[in-house]
Amino acid sequence: MDMETLMKKFMIDDESRKQAIFTNIFVIQNKLQTTCDKLDPELTMKQWLLLAITTSVDETLTLTKLGDIMGCSRQNVKKLAIALENKGFVQIDQNEKDSRAASLLVKDKVNEYSEKVRDMQKEILDILFKDFTEREVEQLFFGMIKLNTGIENIKKYIENNELER
C-alpha cells in the first residue's frame, strides 16, 4: 500500500482528514529529509536548514533562538553548528559571560555554496511543486502559517496544563 492509497482511506470526514494530515506531516518530513540528503554530499538537510534560517534573518540569533525556530533543542543546533564550523561555513561566536548566548557568524563559503547549488535547488522546488497550481501553492503557504499558529497554541496549552499539575 502506498501513502496516496492510505490517505484516501481518511477522506471519510473532517476528523479523519485532520488525523491523516497530522500523520502525514511526519511522513513527509522523513521522506523529504532522507530524499534530499542524497542530493548534496556537502550538507545534510538539517545543516542546510540551519544555514537558510541564519542567513534569512537580519539579526544575529543565539543557538537557543535558532533551536526555537527550527523546532529542536539548543544542543541539536550546536551539533549542527559544529559540523558546519568544521566544514568552514560558520564560526560559533561564544559569549564569554553566558554560553547559552552563543551565536553563528556566517562565512563567505555560504555565499559560494549558495551560488553553486542555486540552480539545483530551483529545479528541486520545481519538481516538488510540479503538480500544484499557483493558487494551491498560495493556499498551502497560508495553511502552513495557520499550522504553525496551531503548534504555538499547543505549546501554550501544555504550559498552562503543566502549571495545574
Side-chain angles (χ1 to χ4, degrees):
M1 177 182 295
D2 64 359
M3 193 62 179
E4 186 175 337
T5 305
L6 185 59
M7 291 294 286
K8 286 180 180 175
K9 287 186 166 194
F10 286 92
M11 294 177 69
I12 303 163
D13 57 26
D14 195 49
E15 201 60 38
S16 296
R17 286 188 290 272
K18 288 177 186 176
Q19 290 174 358
I21 290 168
F22 182 79
T23 303
N24 205 26
I25 288 169
F26 297 101
V27 173
I28 288 170
Q29 187 276 329
N30 287 333
K31 285 183 175 183
L32 196 57
Q33 183 174 344
T34 56
T35 302
C36 291
D37 275 348
K38 296 173 185 170
L39 285 171
D40 183 3
E42 197 163 4
L43 293 180
T44 66
M45 283 305 299
K46 288 192 177 187
Q47 290 169 350
W48 172 84
L49 177 62
L50 180 56
L51 283 179
I53 290 170
T54 302
T55 58
S56 294
V57 295
D58 294 332
E59 59 188 278
T60 302
L61 301 175
T62 64
L63 300 183
T64 302
K65 184 63 179 168
L66 287 164
D68 289 344
I69 294 169
M70 289 178 64
C72 62
S73 69
R74 180 193 176 283
Q75 292 83 356
N76 285 342
V77 171
K78 187 162 186 178
K79 287 178 189 175
L80 293 170
I82 289 170
L84 288 169
E85 187 173 48
N86 291 338
K87 294 177 182 186
F89 285 96
V90 298
Q91 177 184 334
I92 300 174
D93 185 23
Q94 296 289 349
N95 184 313
E96 292 178 17
K97 294 180 182 175
D98 185 357
S99 64
R100 294 170 298 166
S103 58
L104 296 183
L105 301 174
V106 177
K107 292 188 167 184
D108 291 338
K109 186 173 181 178
V110 173
N111 293 331
E112 296 165 12
Y113 174 80
S114 295
E115 190 63 37
K116 181 178 89 173
V117 298
R118 181 168 285 122
D119 290 340
M120 183 258 305
Q121 289 176 341
K122 183 188 179 323
E123 186 176 2
I124 293 303
L125 286 176
D126 289 345
I127 292 168
L128 183 62
F129 292 101
K130 177 178 75 88
D131 295 329
F132 285 73
T133 65
E134 190 175 320
R135 177 77 177 131
E136 289 169 331
V137 170
E138 181 182 14
Q139 289 172 325
L140 182 58
F141 178 82
F142 288 110
M144 298 298 285
I145 291 172
K146 287 183 177 183
L147 203 54
N148 275 303
T149 300
I151 293 167
E152 291 304 315
N153 290 337
I154 292 171
K155 284 181 180 180
K156 290 175 188 170
Y157 172 83
I158 291 169
E159 289 169 3
N160 290 336
N161 284 325
E162 284 178 351
L163 294 175
E164 294 172 7
R165 290 182 192 169

